[in-house]
């Protein structure tokens, strides 16, 4: 479980006091709602009646299915957590991003938004914050095989991690909408922008160094 900052711990204690749950239960639900991008949660905790689900808009299921009072308390907690997370920059996915695959095979993921981004509630996880800190929270992140990338639209920067090294590129005036990788290695990455499909090799390199850990 990701660790909370002192501010996050204070928030959890306040919510636990007001909603009548333990700090452990509230922390569990905080992470569940965050993992559901603020609009849903899958949880499993004794104080919530075991396993259950919540969706924004009133759908709530708990293990103690006939306990309507518990359902109401869980719904109230989840709704408040959803609002808190929405006010935290970089935690929830926003916008749209296209995922592409050209040739070859392998593991690939792409996520719009900065999730899991930097927040005053959570201690940053080095494994998911491998780019230089001064770049802030990315608009999109992705990974394929052993290559990771993070796109920072406002800063006009693209960070790519391959072989333990972090390369930062200037994206110039490209408005990037998706990435693909044909084979292993960062040099095979292409992206789509208003100019069509462009090779990563056409972007100027800003910096190169070991990934921060």
């Amino acid at each position: 479980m990701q660790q909370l900052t002192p501010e996050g711990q204070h928030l959890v204690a306040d919510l636990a006091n007001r909603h009548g749950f333990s700090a452990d239960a509230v922390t569990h639900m905080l992470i569940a709602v965050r993992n559901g991008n603020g609009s849903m949660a899958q949880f499993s905790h004794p104080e919530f009646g075991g396993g259950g689900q919540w969706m924004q808009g009133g759908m709530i299921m708990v293990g103690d299915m006939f306990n309507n009072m518990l359902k109401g308390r869980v719904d109230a907690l989840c709704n408040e957590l959803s609002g808190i997370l929405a006010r935290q920059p970089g935690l929830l996915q926003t916008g749209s991003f296209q995922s592409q695959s050209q040739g070859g095979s392998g593991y690939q993921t792409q996520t719009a938004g900065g999730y899991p981004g930097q927040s005053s509630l959570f201690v940053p996880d080095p494994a998911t914050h491998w780019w230089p800190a001064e770049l802030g929270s990315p608009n999109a992140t992705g990974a394929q095989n052993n290559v990771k990338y993070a796109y920072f639209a406002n800063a006009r920067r693209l960070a790519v991690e391959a072989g333990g090294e972090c390369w930062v590129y200037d994206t110039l005036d490209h408005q990037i909408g998706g990435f693909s990788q044909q084979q292993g290695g960062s040099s095979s990455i292409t992206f789509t922008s208003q100019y069509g499909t462009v090779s990563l090799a056409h972007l100027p390199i800003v910096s190169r160094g070991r990934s921060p850990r």
Side-chain angles (χ1 to χ4, degrees), residues 80-159:
E80 185 165 357
L81 288 172
S82 176
I84 291 169
L85 291 171
R87 294 190 293 272
Q88 287 283 315
L91 275 185
L92 304 183
Q93 298 178 24
T94 58
S96 60
F97 209 71
Q98 299 177 355
S99 176
Q100 303 182 34
S101 180
Q102 296 182 354
S105 61
Y107 171 76
Q108 180 174 10
T109 62
Q110 294 195 94
T111 302
Y115 177 79
Q118 301 179 54
S119 164
S120 62
L121 302 181
F122 298 96
V123 176
D125 181 357
T128 56
H129 293 79
W130 48 266
W131 52 83
E134 60 269 18
L135 293 178
S137 182
N139 297 84
T141 60
Q144 184 174 4
N145 301 321
N146 295 318
V147 178
K148 302 176 183 178
Y149 44 85
Y151 173 48
F152 305 83
N154 293 335
R156 300 201 305 183
R157 293 291 185 266
L158 171 65

Side-chain angles (χ1 to χ4, degrees), residues 23-126:
D24 180 73
V26 173
T27 301
H28 176 88
M29 191 64 82
L30 170 63
I31 294 175
V33 175
R34 187 197 65 177
N35 290 343
N37 202 38
S39 62
M40 64 172 293
Q42 292 186 336
F43 53 86
S44 180
H45 195 280
E47 293 183 42
F48 304 134
Q53 296 183 30
W54 169 82
M55 289 188 66
Q56 201 168 40
M59 198 288 284
I60 175 74
M61 293 188 298
V62 297
D64 189 359
M65 63 180 66
F66 300 111
N67 192 335
N68 292 324
M69 181 176 293
L70 177 61
K71 288 181 181 180
R73 292 172 59 212
V74 171
D75 187 51
L77 173 63
C78 289
N79 276 302
E80 185 165 357
L81 288 172
S82 176
I84 291 169
L85 291 171
R87 294 190 293 272
Q88 287 283 315
L91 275 185
L92 304 183
Q93 298 178 24
T94 58
S96 60
F97 209 71
Q98 299 177 355
S99 176
Q100 303 182 34
S101 180
Q102 296 182 354
S105 61
Y107 171 76
Q108 180 174 10
T109 62
Q110 294 195 94
T111 302
Y115 177 79
Q118 301 179 54
S119 164
S120 62
L121 302 181
F122 298 96
V123 176
D125 181 357

Side-chain angles (χ1 to χ4, degrees), residues 175-191:
Q175 298 173 10
I176 296 177
F179 293 90
S180 63
Q181 184 185 2
Q182 293 179 323
Q183 299 174 357
S186 60
S187 61
S188 65
I189 292 178
T190 60
F191 61 89

